[in-house]
Amino acid sequence: MTKLHLGAFNCPLEGWTNTDVTPHLYIARVPGLAWLLHRLGRMGQARYQEHARGVFRQLHYLNANRRWRMADGSLDAIFSSHMLEHLSLRSARLCLAESHRCLRPGAVLRISVPDLDLHVAAYRPEQALTWATDLFEANEVAEKNMHHFMYNFDSLKALLREAGFSQVHRRAYQTGVCPDIKRLDNRPDSLFVEAVKS
């Protein structure tokens, strides 16, 4: 099977084409660079250990904000965990349209994102600053690491239908038709959605 993992970062999975835009995939290709950055205090111990284990050498560059260099109907499955909310709404629409274009008929797209409904239910006016900071991950230094849009099931379903998916289902943690689901899902408090291309 040809399976695409979008935004894999430090969770690449064997048997999938693991993609990201992180600078770590370039650092991993320069011998000794991760060690030097760690030695200079520019890379933490945990991240350096991931480099030492070869985690980022398993990544391929793919910018979900642009048209993908893949043929129509060439993929059997696409998985994305906590990546879509880091895109603008315009870029998210393009990503979902590209997912639909590249999947073969009958293939599945599985997305997990933070559940906006859970965040809204936790809102308290007296804690608005903390709530909004957490919601948008506003303390992140890099803008790409912040949340740019948030979803509940209804809004994500609407975007998936707009992209061409006619079958859209809410799923539970590690439940669904996506291959390797028990190895892929690792954030149980998420919103899980699967869309099948007709």
Side-chain angles (χ1 to χ4, degrees):
M1 295 182 74
T2 305
K3 301 174 288 189
L4 179 67
H5 186 179
L6 291 173
F9 189 54
N10 62 349
C11 298
L13 193 65
E14 185 179 349
W16 289 72
T17 300
N18 301 288
T19 66
D20 210 290
V21 295
T22 177
H24 288 284
L25 65 88
Y26 297 112
I27 293 170
R29 283 155 176 76
V30 180
L33 183 55
W35 174 86
L36 179 61
L37 291 171
H38 178 60
R39 185 75 183 251
L40 294 172
R42 302 297 302 271
M43 182 184 293
Q45 181 66 24
R47 194 70 70 226
Y48 175 65
Q49 288 301 318
E50 290 172 340
H51 275 279
R53 294 196 310 270
V55 168
F56 297 105
R57 285 196 298 270
Q58 300 176 58
L59 298 180
H60 303 273
Y61 180 84
L62 188 149
N63 188 341
N65 292 315
R66 299 190 175 99
R67 183 176 170 89
W68 305 346
R69 294 182 178 178
M70 296 174 191
D72 294 2
S74 59
L75 298 175
D76 295 297
I78 299 173
F79 175 80
S80 172
S81 176
H82 287 250
M83 187 272 296
L84 199 68
E85 68 274 14
H86 293 277
L87 304 179
S88 68
L89 182 56
R90 178 181 178 278
S91 294
R93 281 187 159 112
L94 175 60
C95 178
L96 297 179
E98 283 297 278
S99 296
H100 186 269
R101 178 183 69 79
C102 294
L103 286 170
R104 65 166 177 77
V108 63
L109 164 65
R110 184 179 178 93
I111 297 172
S112 70
V113 292
D115 191 336
L116 179 59
D117 288 342
L118 292 180
H119 284 278
V120 170
Y123 176 74
R124 300 293 178 270
E126 66 277 7
Q127 298 173 340
L129 179 61
T130 301
W131 179 86
T133 301
D134 291 344
L135 180 68
F136 294 104
E137 296 198 343
N139 283 329
E140 290 286 343
V141 176
E143 190 174 331
K144 71 176 181 63
N145 295 332
M146 298 176 184
H147 292 165
H148 292 273
F149 201 83
M150 300 295 283
Y151 304 90
N152 70 358
F153 175 66
D154 291 324
S155 62
L156 187 51
K157 180 178 180 180
L159 290 184
L160 287 162
R161 288 194 179 278
E162 180 184 295
F165 292 96
S166 57
Q167 301 178 53
V168 181
H169 306 281
R170 184 169 192 159
R171 301 295 192 194
Y173 177 63
Q174 295 188 344
T175 302
V177 299
C178 183
D180 302 317
I181 196 66
K182 294 195 182 298
R183 294 194 296 152
L184 288 165
D185 278 354
N186 59 12
R187 299 176 82 163
D189 57 343
S190 306
L191 166 65
F192 300 95
V193 177
E194 286 186 343
V196 178
K197 181 175 178 178
S198 298

